[in-house]
DNA sequence: AAGACTACTTAGCACACGTTTT
DNA sequence: AAAACGTGTGCTAAGTAGTCTT
C-alpha cells in the first residue's frame, strides 16, 4: 500500500512529459478512459471507514514532532514565509527541451545574484527602519486622517486587530460609502462633464506633492486632440475626472447611462491580384474568394513553425475545406501539395511597401486612425467620456493557441454584425449597424460592463468589448481588489492557523483543502479550475494538480521534506520549483498520492468551488486569487523596505524598486522568453560601460595633473580648472554608475517579466508612496498608460501609505 | 454535485513606433 | 538619412469565479 512504485515511474522521472505531443496524446486518451473509473474507485475507497482509520492512525503517529516543527516555522512565517521567492525559473512553453536545460543553467546564476542583492541592502536597513518608525508614530498619534476607502466590501468578518493606525474602521467607511449614489437620478444623457471640475478637497502635507500637481489648468473638454501634441513637458494632464472622490453606484448596477457607437469591424477581404498564383500539385488554381481568403491566412504564417505542426495543418485543412466550393473540395485533397509561396511573397512585399511609405502617407494613416479612435474609441458612461479598450472586432484568421493546443490552426471566422450583441442604455442613441446589416440583439443590461459581445467559434466562448483600464468602471474594481487583499492581511494569520489545524482533520476533503490552500498561500499558485479535456492545452493550477506534477523527496540537498513541482500553468508556462514543506504537509501529500496513477488528480476531493466556498466563510470576498494579490503586494512592500537605501541616488533606488518588483514576478512565476536580441544588447551596453570607464580614467588623469598644477601656481585660473576637472570626474562617475546599474537590472531581468505583476498584482499605492517618500518621480516607475490606469492611486496615496 | 453559461481579470508576445546611434 | 534599438501598445488567449439549471 505504499505507492512507492509511483516514485520510480520513469514517466515522472523524465519530467518533460509535455514535450512529446504524441506521447502526450496517448496519455490523455488513457487518462480519459481511466479517469472515471479511478474516480469511482477513489471515492469508494475514501468513503469506507477502514481507510479513514488507517490514515488517521498514520498521522497520529507523527503528531508530536510535526507539531514542534510547525511551531518553529510559524514564527518566521508571518509575513515573510516567502521561501517560495527564491524559486527557480525556467522559461519554457512545453516545446523544446533544449530550452529547459538552458533555463536550468541560468537559473542558478540568477539565484546567486538575487542573494547578493539581498545582502547589500542590509547595511542601511536598520537605520531606515528606525526612521520609519518615528515617522509612523508621528503621523498616527497626530491627526487621525480619515482617509476615504472605497467601501466596496462590507465589514470584515474575521476581525483581527488592525496592526497599524492606518486602517479605517469598517463602520466609518460604510457610512461614507453605502449611500447609493442616486436612486432617483433619472438618467438622461446630461451634458457630459468635461473632466476635472472637481473640488480639490483633502490633501495635507504637500511638500513633495507640489511638483506633481500643478492643479491649475482647468481641463479642456475632450481632453484629447490638442493635448496629445503637447510634448511631455512634465505634466501631461489633462486634469482628469476624479471618480474616486465620488460615490459609487448601488449594488450590482454598473452604470446608469451608456452610449457608444458600436464596434469597428475588420476590413472586408480584398481578393489577391491576378498575378499572384496559387498552385496545387504544380498547377495553377484560381480559388474562389472564400477559399482564397482562408488560404491567405495560411500563407501569411508560412514562415512560422506553427505551419509545420501536424495538428495545426490538420485543423487548418479541415476548416479550409469547409470554405471551398465543391470543385475545389474535389481537387484539393492534400495540403502538402499546396503551394502558397507566391501568396506569401506577395504579403511580404506588401509589408515592405508599407514600411517604405513616405512620411505623408504614414501621417495620413495615422490621422485616419486617430479619427476612428475618436469616433469609436470612446463611449459615454454616466456623463463621462471614457476610453474603450478594444473597440475593434477581432479579424478572422487562424487560431493560434498557446502551448500544445488541440485546436491550433482552426479557422477563426469573420464576425458579422449579425453576430453582435449591443449593450447600451435604452435612452441612448443606439449604434447603427453597417449598411445592409443588423445586430443580432440590442439589450440594455446595466448589471454588466460590456458594450458589445459576440460568441467566438473556436471555444464557443463569449468575447466582449469593455472599457479601458483608466476608466472608472475598471478602476473602481481594481481598487476594490486591493482593498480585499488588505482585508486578507488582517486575518491571514488566523487563516494560516486554521489551515494548519486542518492538516490534521480526519476528513480527507478538509485535509486536501488545507494543503492546497497552503500551496496557494505559500507559493502563490493559481486556483486551478478544471478545464474540458481536449478543448484546451493541458495546463493546471493548484486544485487541478495531478500526481505526475509533483515529486516528493524526504530528503534532498540537505533539506527535509522537499516537494518538487513541475507542471505547465496558464499560457503553458512551466512552473518548476523545489520547496521544503512542513512535515505534516509532506505526509499528507504522500497520503493523497497513495494508490493513484500519475495522471490522477492529486486533490481528488477538491475543486476550486469547494475551496472558494470555504474561503468565503473565512472572510467575505475571499477567493483563491486574493492570496496572489495579497502575497504579491505584501512582498513588494516588504522588499521595498528592505532594499531601498535612502542614501542611494535615483538610479540605484530604481534598481532597488525593480528588484522588489522582480521578487514578486518570481513569486508569481511571470516569465518571458529572453528577448531575441538580449545577448547583443547586453554586449552593447558592456561596450558603452568600457568606453565610459576609459573616459573616466582620462578625466581622472586630467584631474590629477590639474591638482598638481594648482599646487604649484595658485592663481585663479588653475583653481577654476581644477574645479571643473573635479566636476567632470564626478559627472562621469555618475554616468558610469548609471550604466552599470542598468546592466545589472537588465541582466537580472533576462527571463522575468515585470509588467504583469506591476499591472495586476501590486497595489499601486505602495509604489506611489515609495516614490513620494524617496523623491523619485512617478514617471520613473510608471509610464504614461500605467499612470492613467493608476491615476486613483497616484492621487490618493501619501508617502506613508501602508498596504 | 455537476455542468452550462456568463462576466471579468490576467497573460505573453509581436510588432509598430519613437528615439538614439551611426 | 539610415540603421539600430528599446519600449510601449494592441491583440487576444487563457485564466478565475459567479450564477443558474438540472
Amino acid at each position: 500500500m505504499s505507492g512507492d512504485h509511483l516514485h520510480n515511474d520513469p514517466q515522472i522521472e523524465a519530467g518533460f512529459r509535455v514535450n512529446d505531443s504524441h506521447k502526450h496524446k496517448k496519455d490523455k486518451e488513457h487518462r480519459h478512459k481511466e479517469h472515471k473509473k479511478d474516480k469511482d474507485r477513489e471515492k469508494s475507497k475514501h468513503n469506507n471507514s477502514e481507510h479513514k482509520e488507517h490514515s488517521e492512525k498514520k498521522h497520529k503517529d507523527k503528531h508530536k514532532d510535526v507539531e514542534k516543527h510547525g511551531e518553529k516555522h510559524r514564527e518566521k512565517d508571518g509575513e515573510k514565509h516567502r521561501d517560495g521567492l527564491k524559486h527557480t525559473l525556467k522559461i519554457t512553453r512545453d516545446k523544446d527541451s533544449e530550452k529547459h536545460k538552458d533555463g536550468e543553467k541560468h537559473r542558478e546564476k540568477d539565484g546567486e545574484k538575487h542573494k547578493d542583492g539581498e545582502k547589500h541592502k542590509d547595511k542601511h536597513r536598520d537605520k531606515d527602519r528606525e526612521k520609519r518608525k518615528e515617522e509612523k508614530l508621528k503621523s498616527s498619534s497626530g491627526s487621525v486622517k480619515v482617509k476615504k476607502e472605497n467601501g466596496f466590501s462590507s465589514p470584515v468578518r474575521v476581525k483581527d486587530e488592525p496592526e497599524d493606525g492606518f486602517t479605517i474602521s469598517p463602520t466609518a467607511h460604510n457610512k461614507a460609502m453605502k449611500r447609493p449614489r442616486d436612486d432617483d437620478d433619472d438618467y438622461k444623457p446630461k451634458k457630459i462633464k468635461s473632466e476635472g471640475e472637481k473640488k480639490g478637497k483633502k490633501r495635507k502635507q504637500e511638500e513633495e506633492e507640489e511638483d506633481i500637481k500643478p492643479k491649475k489648468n482647468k481641463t479642456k473638454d475632450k481632453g484629447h486632440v490638442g493635448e496629445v501634441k503637447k510634448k511631455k513637458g512634465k505634466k501631461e494632464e489633462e486634469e482628469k475626472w476624479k471618480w474616486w472622490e465620488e460615490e459609487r453606484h448601488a449594488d450590482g448596477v454598473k452604470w446608469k447611462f451608456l452610449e457608444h457607437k458600436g464596434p469597428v469591424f475588420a476590413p472586408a477581404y480584398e481578393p489577391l491580384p491576378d498575378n499572384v498564383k496559387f498552385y496545387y500539385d504544380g498547377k495553377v488554381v484560381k480559388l474562389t474568394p472564400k477559399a482564397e481568403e482562408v488560404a491567405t491566412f495560411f500563407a501569411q504564417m508560412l514562415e512560422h513553425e506553427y505551419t509545420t505542426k501536424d495538428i495545426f495543418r490538420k485543423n487548418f485543412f479541415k476548416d479550409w475545406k469547409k470554405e471551398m466550393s465543391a470543385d475545389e473540395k474535389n481537387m484539393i485533397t492534400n495540403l502538402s501539395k499546396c503551394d502558397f509561396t507566391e501568396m506569401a511573397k506577395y504579403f511580404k512585399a506588401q509589408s515592405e511597401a508599407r514600411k517604405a511609405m513616405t512620411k505623408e502617407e504614414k501621417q495620413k494613416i495615422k490621422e485616419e486612425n486617430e479619427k476612428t479612435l475618436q469616433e469609436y474609441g470612446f463611449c459615454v458612461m454616466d456623463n463621462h467620456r471614457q476610453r474603450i479598450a478594444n473597440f475593434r472586432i477581432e479579424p478572422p484568421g487562424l487560431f493560434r493557441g498557446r502551448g500544445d493546443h488541440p485546436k491550433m490552426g482552426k479557422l477563426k471566422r469573420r464576425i458579422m454584425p449579425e453576430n453582435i450583441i449591443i449593450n447600451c442604455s435604452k435612452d441612448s442613441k443606439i449604434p447603427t449597424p453597417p449598411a445592409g446589416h443588423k445586430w443580432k440583439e440590442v439589450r440594455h443590461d446595466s448589471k454588466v460592463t460590456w458594450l458589445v459581445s459576440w460568441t467566438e467559434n473556436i471555444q464557443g466562448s463569449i468575447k466582449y468589448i469593455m472599457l479601458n483600464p483608466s476608466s472608472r468602471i475598471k478602476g473602481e474594481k481594481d481598487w476594490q481588489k486591493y482593498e480585499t487583499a488588505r482585508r486578507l492581511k488582517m486575518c491571514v494569520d488566523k487563516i494560516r492557523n486554521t489551515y494548519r489545524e486542518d492538516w490534521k482533520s480526519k476528513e480527507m476533503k478538509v485535509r486536501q483543502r488545507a494543503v492546497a490552500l497552503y500551496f496557494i498561500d505559500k507559493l502563490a499558485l493559481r486556483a486551478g479550475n478544471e478545464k474540458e479535456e481536449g478543448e484546451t492545452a493541458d495546463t493546471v493550477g493548484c486544485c487541478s494538480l495531478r500526481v505526475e506534477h509533483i515529486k516528493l523527496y524526504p530528503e534532498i540537498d540537505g533539506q527535509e521534506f522537499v516537494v518538487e513541482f513541475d507542471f505547465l500553468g496558464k499560457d503553458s508556462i512551466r512552473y518548476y520549483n523545489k520547496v521544503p514543506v512542513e512535515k505534516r504537509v509532506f505526509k499528507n501529500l504522500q497520503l493523497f498520492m497513495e494508490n493513484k496513477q500519475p495522471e490522477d488528480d492529486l486533490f481528488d476531493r477538491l475543486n476550486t468551488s469547494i475551496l472558494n466556498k470555504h474561503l468565503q466563510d473565512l472572510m467575505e470576498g475571499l477567493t483563491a486569487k486574493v492570496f496572489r494579490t495579497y502575497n504579491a503586494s505584501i512582498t513588494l512592500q516588504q522588499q521595498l523596505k528592505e532594499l531601498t537605501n535612502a542614501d542611494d541616488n535615483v538610479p540605484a533606488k530604481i534598481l532597488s524598486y525593480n528588484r522588489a518588483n522582480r521578487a514578486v514576478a518570481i513569486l508569481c512565476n511571470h516569465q518571458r522568453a529572453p528577448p531575441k536580441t538580449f545577448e547583443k544588447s547586453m554586449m552593447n551596453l558592456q561596450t558603452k560601460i568600457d568606453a565610459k570607464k576609459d573616459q573616466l580614467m582620462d578625466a581622472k588623469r586630467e584631474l590629477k595633473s590639474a591638482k598638481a598644477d594648482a599646487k604649484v601656481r595658485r592663481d585663479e585660473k588653475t583653481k577654476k580648472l581644477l574645479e571643473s576637472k573635479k566636476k567632470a570626474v564626478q559627472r562621469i562617475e555618475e554616468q558610469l554608475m548609471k550604466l552599470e546599474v542598468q546592466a545589472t537590472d537588465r541582466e537580472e531581468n533576462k527571463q522575468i517579466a515585470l509588467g504583469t505583476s506591476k499591472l495586476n498584482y501590486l497595489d499601486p499605492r505602495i509604489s506611489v508612496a515609495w516614490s513620494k517618500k524617496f523623491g523619485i518621480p512617478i514617471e520613473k516607475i510608471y509610464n504614461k498608460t500605467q499612470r492613467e490606469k493608476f491615476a486613483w492611486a497616484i492621487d490618493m496615496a501619501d508617502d506613508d501609505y501602508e498596504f
Side-chain angles (χ1 to χ4, degrees), chain A residues 554-568:
Chain A
E555 217 218 295
I556 188 172
D557 306 332
Q559 289 176 307
E560 279 188 310
F561 310 122
V562 172
V563 183
E564 181 184 60
F565 293 83
D566 191 350
F567 61 89
L568 298 183

mmCIF file with all atom_site columns, all heavy atoms in Angstrom, chain A residues 554-568:
data_model
loop_
_atom_site.group_PDB
_atom_site.id
_atom_site.type_symbol
_atom_site.label_atom_id
_atom_site.label_alt_id
_atom_site.label_comp_id
_atom_site.label_asym_id
_atom_site.label_entity_id
_atom_site.label_seq_id
_atom_site.pdbx_PDB_ins_code
_atom_site.Cartn_x
_atom_site.Cartn_y
_atom_site.Cartn_z
_atom_site.occupancy
_atom_site.B_iso_or_equiv
_atom_site.pdbx_formal_charge
_atom_site.auth_seq_id
_atom_site.auth_comp_id
_atom_site.auth_asym_id
_atom_site.auth_atom_id
_atom_site.pdbx_PDB_model_num
ATOM 1   N N   . PRO A 1 554 ? 11.894 12.911 0.719   1.00 0.00 ? 554 PRO A N   1
ATOM 2   C CA  . PRO A 1 554 ? 12.008 13.001 2.180   1.00 0.00 ? 554 PRO A CA  1
ATOM 3   C C   . PRO A 1 554 ? 13.254 13.789 2.549   1.00 0.00 ? 554 PRO A C   1
ATOM 4   O O   . PRO A 1 554 ? 13.277 14.506 3.530   1.00 0.00 ? 554 PRO A O   1
ATOM 5   C CB  . PRO A 1 554 ? 12.134 11.554 2.612   1.00 0.00 ? 554 PRO A CB  1
ATOM 6   C CG  . PRO A 1 554 ? 11.476 10.777 1.522   1.00 0.00 ? 554 PRO A CG  1
ATOM 7   C CD  . PRO A 1 554 ? 11.729 11.534 0.255   1.00 0.00 ? 554 PRO A CD  1
ATOM 8   N N   . GLU A 1 555 ? 14.276 13.622 1.716   1.00 0.00 ? 555 GLU A N   1
ATOM 9   C CA  . GLU A 1 555 ? 15.475 14.399 1.982   1.00 0.00 ? 555 GLU A CA  1
ATOM 10  C C   . GLU A 1 555 ? 16.234 14.616 0.686   1.00 0.00 ? 555 GLU A C   1
ATOM 11  O O   . GLU A 1 555 ? 16.408 13.708 -0.115  1.00 0.00 ? 555 GLU A O   1
ATOM 12  C CB  . GLU A 1 555 ? 16.346 13.649 2.969   1.00 0.00 ? 555 GLU A CB  1
ATOM 13  C CG  . GLU A 1 555 ? 17.035 14.581 3.943   1.00 0.00 ? 555 GLU A CG  1
ATOM 14  C CD  . GLU A 1 555 ? 18.443 14.116 4.240   1.00 0.00 ? 555 GLU A CD  1
ATOM 15  O OE1 . GLU A 1 555 ? 18.560 13.031 4.822   1.00 0.00 ? 555 GLU A OE1 1
ATOM 16  O OE2 . GLU A 1 555 ? 19.387 14.833 3.850   1.00 0.00 ? 555 GLU A OE2 1
ATOM 17  N N   . ILE A 1 556 ? 16.674 15.809 0.491   1.00 0.00 ? 556 ILE A N   1
ATOM 18  C CA  . ILE A 1 556 ? 17.477 16.095 -0.702  1.00 0.00 ? 556 ILE A CA  1
ATOM 19  C C   . ILE A 1 556 ? 18.234 17.397 -0.486  1.00 0.00 ? 556 ILE A C   1
ATOM 20  O O   . ILE A 1 556 ? 17.726 18.329 0.119   1.00 0.00 ? 556 ILE A O   1
ATOM 21  C CB  . ILE A 1 556 ? 16.580 16.191 -1.966  1.00 0.00 ? 556 ILE A CB  1
ATOM 22  C CG1 . ILE A 1 556 ? 17.444 16.291 -3.215  1.00 0.00 ? 556 ILE A CG1 1
ATOM 23  C CG2 . ILE A 1 556 ? 15.622 17.363 -1.884  1.00 0.00 ? 556 ILE A CG2 1
ATOM 24  C CD1 . ILE A 1 556 ? 16.653 16.204 -4.494  1.00 0.00 ? 556 ILE A CD1 1
ATOM 25  N N   . ASP A 1 557 ? 19.447 17.419 -0.976  1.00 0.00 ? 557 ASP A N   1
ATOM 26  C CA  . ASP A 1 557 ? 20.290 18.609 -0.839  1.00 0.00 ? 557 ASP A CA  1
ATOM 27  C C   . ASP A 1 557 ? 20.302 19.160 0.589   1.00 0.00 ? 557 ASP A C   1
ATOM 28  O O   . ASP A 1 557 ? 20.230 20.367 0.797   1.00 0.00 ? 557 ASP A O   1
ATOM 29  C CB  . ASP A 1 557 ? 19.798 19.738 -1.761  1.00 0.00 ? 557 ASP A CB  1
ATOM 30  C CG  . ASP A 1 557 ? 19.693 19.277 -3.207  1.00 0.00 ? 557 ASP A CG  1
ATOM 31  O OD1 . ASP A 1 557 ? 20.455 18.371 -3.579  1.00 0.00 ? 557 ASP A OD1 1
ATOM 32  O OD2 . ASP A 1 557 ? 18.850 19.820 -3.941  1.00 0.00 ? 557 ASP A OD2 1
ATOM 33  N N   . GLY A 1 558 ? 20.345 18.257 1.515   1.00 0.00 ? 558 GLY A N   1
ATOM 34  C CA  . GLY A 1 558 ? 20.421 18.706 2.901   1.00 0.00 ? 558 GLY A CA  1
ATOM 35  C C   . GLY A 1 558 ? 19.149 19.286 3.458   1.00 0.00 ? 558 GLY A C   1
ATOM 36  O O   . GLY A 1 558 ? 19.122 19.845 4.539   1.00 0.00 ? 558 GLY A O   1
ATOM 37  N N   . GLN A 1 559 ? 18.068 19.153 2.698   1.00 0.00 ? 559 GLN A N   1
ATOM 38  C CA  . GLN A 1 559 ? 16.795 19.661 3.215   1.00 0.00 ? 559 GLN A CA  1
ATOM 39  C C   . GLN A 1 559 ? 15.816 18.516 3.377   1.00 0.00 ? 559 GLN A C   1
ATOM 40  O O   . GLN A 1 559 ? 15.838 17.560 2.609   1.00 0.00 ? 559 GLN A O   1
ATOM 41  C CB  . GLN A 1 559 ? 16.206 20.698 2.263   1.00 0.00 ? 559 GLN A CB  1
ATOM 42  C CG  . GLN A 1 559 ? 16.975 21.996 2.262   1.00 0.00 ? 559 GLN A CG  1
ATOM 43  C CD  . GLN A 1 559 ? 16.402 22.946 1.231   1.00 0.00 ? 559 GLN A CD  1
ATOM 44  O OE1 . GLN A 1 559 ? 16.250 22.596 0.066   1.00 0.00 ? 559 GLN A OE1 1
ATOM 45  N NE2 . GLN A 1 559 ? 16.071 24.148 1.671   1.00 0.00 ? 559 GLN A NE2 1
ATOM 46  N N   . GLU A 1 560 ? 14.947 18.661 4.334   1.00 0.00 ? 560 GLU A N   1
ATOM 47  C CA  . GLU A 1 560 ? 13.953 17.622 4.555   1.00 0.00 ? 560 GLU A CA  1
ATOM 48  C C   . GLU A 1 560 ? 12.635 17.993 3.908   1.00 0.00 ? 560 GLU A C   1
ATOM 49  O O   . GLU A 1 560 ? 12.299 19.165 3.782   1.00 0.00 ? 560 GLU A O   1
ATOM 50  C CB  . GLU A 1 560 ? 13.719 17.465 6.063   1.00 0.00 ? 560 GLU A CB  1
ATOM 51  C CG  . GLU A 1 560 ? 14.767 16.626 6.762   1.00 0.00 ? 560 GLU A CG  1
ATOM 52  C CD  . GLU A 1 560 ? 14.348 16.363 8.189   1.00 0.00 ? 560 GLU A CD  1
ATOM 53  O OE1 . GLU A 1 560 ? 14.000 17.339 8.874   1.00 0.00 ? 560 GLU A OE1 1
ATOM 54  O OE2 . GLU A 1 560 ? 14.359 15.193 8.606   1.00 0.00 ? 560 GLU A OE2 1
ATOM 55  N N   . PHE A 1 561 ? 11.897 16.985 3.563   1.00 0.00 ? 561 PHE A N   1
ATOM 56  C CA  . PHE A 1 561 ? 10.515 17.156 3.091   1.00 0.00 ? 561 PHE A CA  1
ATOM 57  C C   . PHE A 1 561 ? 10.414 18.158 1.949   1.00 0.00 ? 561 PHE A C   1
ATOM 58  O O   . PHE A 1 561 ? 9.781  19.203 2.060   1.00 0.00 ? 561 PHE A O   1
ATOM 59  C CB  . PHE A 1 561 ? 9.610  17.581 4.239   1.00 0.00 ? 561 PHE A CB  1
ATOM 60  C CG  . PHE A 1 561 ? 9.761  16.700 5.441   1.00 0.00 ? 561 PHE A CG  1
ATOM 61  C CD1 . PHE A 1 561 ? 10.124 17.217 6.665   1.00 0.00 ? 561 PHE A CD1 1
ATOM 62  C CD2 . PHE A 1 561 ? 9.551  15.329 5.323   1.00 0.00 ? 561 PHE A CD2 1
ATOM 63  C CE1 . PHE A 1 561 ? 10.278 16.392 7.760   1.00 0.00 ? 561 PHE A CE1 1
ATOM 64  C CE2 . PHE A 1 561 ? 9.699  14.500 6.415   1.00 0.00 ? 561 PHE A CE2 1
ATOM 65  C CZ  . PHE A 1 561 ? 10.066 15.041 7.650   1.00 0.00 ? 561 PHE A CZ  1
ATOM 66  N N   . VAL A 1 562 ? 11.054 17.785 0.888   1.00 0.00 ? 562 VAL A N   1
ATOM 67  C CA  . VAL A 1 562 ? 11.055 18.685 -0.263  1.00 0.00 ? 562 VAL A CA  1
ATOM 68  C C   . VAL A 1 562 ? 10.031 18.226 -1.292  1.00 0.00 ? 562 VAL A C   1
ATOM 69  O O   . VAL A 1 562 ? 9.929  17.046 -1.600  1.00 0.00 ? 562 VAL A O   1
ATOM 70  C CB  . VAL A 1 562 ? 12.458 18.738 -0.902  1.00 0.00 ? 562 VAL A CB  1
ATOM 71  C CG1 . VAL A 1 562 ? 12.415 19.516 -2.199  1.00 0.00 ? 562 VAL A CG1 1
ATOM 72  C CG2 . VAL A 1 562 ? 13.445 19.339 0.074   1.00 0.00 ? 562 VAL A CG2 1
ATOM 73  N N   . VAL A 1 563 ? 9.273  19.150 -1.785  1.00 0.00 ? 563 VAL A N   1
ATOM 74  C CA  . VAL A 1 563 ? 8.339  18.863 -2.865  1.00 0.00 ? 563 VAL A CA  1
ATOM 75  C C   . VAL A 1 563 ? 8.842  19.540 -4.131  1.00 0.00 ? 563 VAL A C   1
ATOM 76  O O   . VAL A 1 563 ? 9.173  20.715 -4.120  1.00 0.00 ? 563 VAL A O   1
ATOM 77  C CB  . VAL A 1 563 ? 6.930  19.414 -2.562  1.00 0.00 ? 563 VAL A CB  1
ATOM 78  C CG1 . VAL A 1 563 ? 5.955  19.033 -3.668  1.00 0.00 ? 563 VAL A CG1 1
ATOM 79  C CG2 . VAL A 1 563 ? 6.437  18.917 -1.226  1.00 0.00 ? 563 VAL A CG2 1
ATOM 80  N N   . GLU A 1 564 ? 8.899  18.763 -5.180  1.00 0.00 ? 564 GLU A N   1
ATOM 81  C CA  . GLU A 1 564 ? 9.317  19.326 -6.452  1.00 0.00 ? 564 GLU A CA  1
ATOM 82  C C   . GLU A 1 564 ? 8.089  19.473 -7.349  1.00 0.00 ? 564 GLU A C   1
ATOM 83  O O   . GLU A 1 564 ? 7.409  18.490 -7.635  1.00 0.00 ? 564 GLU A O   1
ATOM 84  C CB  . GLU A 1 564 ? 10.344 18.421 -7.124  1.00 0.00 ? 564 GLU A CB  1
ATOM 85  C CG  . GLU A 1 564 ? 10.850 18.959 -8.445  1.00 0.00 ? 564 GLU A CG  1
ATOM 86  C CD  . GLU A 1 564 ? 11.795 17.976 -9.123  1.00 0.00 ? 564 GLU A CD  1
ATOM 87  O OE1 . GLU A 1 564 ? 11.371 16.841 -9.409  1.00 0.00 ? 564 GLU A OE1 1
ATOM 88  O OE2 . GLU A 1 564 ? 12.947 18.339 -9.347  1.00 0.00 ? 564 GLU A OE2 1
ATOM 89  N N   . PHE A 1 565 ? 7.832  20.681 -7.746  1.00 0.00 ? 565 PHE A N   1
ATOM 90  C CA  . PHE A 1 565 ? 6.716  20.941 -8.653  1.00 0.00 ? 565 PHE A CA  1
ATOM 91  C C   . PHE A 1 565 ? 7.251  21.057 -10.061 1.00 0.00 ? 565 PHE A C   1
ATOM 92  O O   . PHE A 1 565 ? 8.273  21.695 -10.287 1.00 0.00 ? 565 PHE A O   1
ATOM 93  C CB  . PHE A 1 565 ? 6.042  22.267 -8.312  1.00 0.00 ? 565 PHE A CB  1
ATOM 94  C CG  . PHE A 1 565 ? 5.347  22.277 -6.982  1.00 0.00 ? 565 PHE A CG  1
ATOM 95  C CD1 . PHE A 1 565 ? 6.054  22.513 -5.821  1.00 0.00 ? 565 PHE A CD1 1
ATOM 96  C CD2 . PHE A 1 565 ? 3.982  22.052 -6.912  1.00 0.00 ? 565 PHE A CD2 1
ATOM 97  C CE1 . PHE A 1 565 ? 5.412  22.526 -4.593  1.00 0.00 ? 565 PHE A CE1 1
ATOM 98  C CE2 . PHE A 1 565 ? 3.338  22.066 -5.683  1.00 0.00 ? 565 PHE A CE2 1
ATOM 99  C CZ  . PHE A 1 565 ? 4.050  22.311 -4.520  1.00 0.00 ? 565 PHE A CZ  1
ATOM 100 N N   . ASP A 1 566 ? 6.543  20.481 -10.964 1.00 0.00 ? 566 ASP A N   1
ATOM 101 C CA  . ASP A 1 566 ? 6.910  20.654 -12.363 1.00 0.00 ? 566 ASP A CA  1
ATOM 102 C C   . ASP A 1 566 ? 5.654  20.482 -13.203 1.00 0.00 ? 566 ASP A C   1
ATOM 103 O O   . ASP A 1 566 ? 5.199  19.384 -13.441 1.00 0.00 ? 566 ASP A O   1
ATOM 104 C CB  . ASP A 1 566 ? 7.971  19.629 -12.764 1.00 0.00 ? 566 ASP A CB  1
ATOM 105 C CG  . ASP A 1 566 ? 8.560  19.946 -14.127 1.00 0.00 ? 566 ASP A CG  1
ATOM 106 O OD1 . ASP A 1 566 ? 8.024  20.838 -14.822 1.00 0.00 ? 566 ASP A OD1 1
ATOM 107 O OD2 . ASP A 1 566 ? 9.557  19.308 -14.508 1.00 0.00 ? 566 ASP A OD2 1
ATOM 108 N N   . PHE A 1 567 ? 5.105  21.574 -13.598 1.00 0.00 ? 567 PHE A N   1
ATOM 109 C CA  . PHE A 1 567 ? 3.880  21.492 -14.395 1.00 0.00 ? 567 PHE A CA  1
ATOM 110 C C   . PHE A 1 567 ? 3.748  22.716 -15.272 1.00 0.00 ? 567 PHE A C   1
ATOM 111 O O   . PHE A 1 567 ? 4.463  23.692 -15.109 1.00 0.00 ? 567 PHE A O   1
ATOM 112 C CB  . PHE A 1 567 ? 2.656  21.374 -13.474 1.00 0.00 ? 567 PHE A CB  1
ATOM 113 C CG  . PHE A 1 567 ? 2.458  22.557 -12.547 1.00 0.00 ? 567 PHE A CG  1
ATOM 114 C CD1 . PHE A 1 567 ? 1.713  23.662 -12.951 1.00 0.00 ? 567 PHE A CD1 1
ATOM 115 C CD2 . PHE A 1 567 ? 2.998  22.553 -11.276 1.00 0.00 ? 567 PHE A CD2 1
ATOM 116 C CE1 . PHE A 1 567 ? 1.517  24.750 -12.099 1.00 0.00 ? 567 PHE A CE1 1
ATOM 117 C CE2 . PHE A 1 567 ? 2.817  23.631 -10.411 1.00 0.00 ? 567 PHE A CE2 1
ATOM 118 C CZ  . PHE A 1 567 ? 2.079  24.728 -10.825 1.00 0.00 ? 567 PHE A CZ  1
ATOM 119 N N   . LEU A 1 568 ? 2.822  22.632 -16.206 1.00 0.00 ? 568 LEU A N   1
ATOM 120 C CA  . LEU A 1 568 ? 2.553  23.787 -17.055 1.00 0.00 ? 568 LEU A CA  1
ATOM 121 C C   . LEU A 1 568 ? 1.355  24.530 -16.503 1.00 0.00 ? 568 LEU A C   1
ATOM 122 O O   . LEU A 1 568 ? 0.303  23.947 -16.292 1.00 0.00 ? 568 LEU A O   1
ATOM 123 C CB  . LEU A 1 568 ? 2.276  23.346 -18.489 1.00 0.00 ? 568 LEU A CB  1
ATOM 124 C CG  . LEU A 1 568 ? 3.431  22.630 -19.193 1.00 0.00 ? 568 LEU A CG  1
ATOM 125 C CD1 . LEU A 1 568 ? 3.040  22.313 -20.632 1.00 0.00 ? 568 LEU A CD1 1
ATOM 126 C CD2 . LEU A 1 568 ? 4.704  23.470 -19.154 1.00 0.00 ? 568 LEU A CD2 1
#
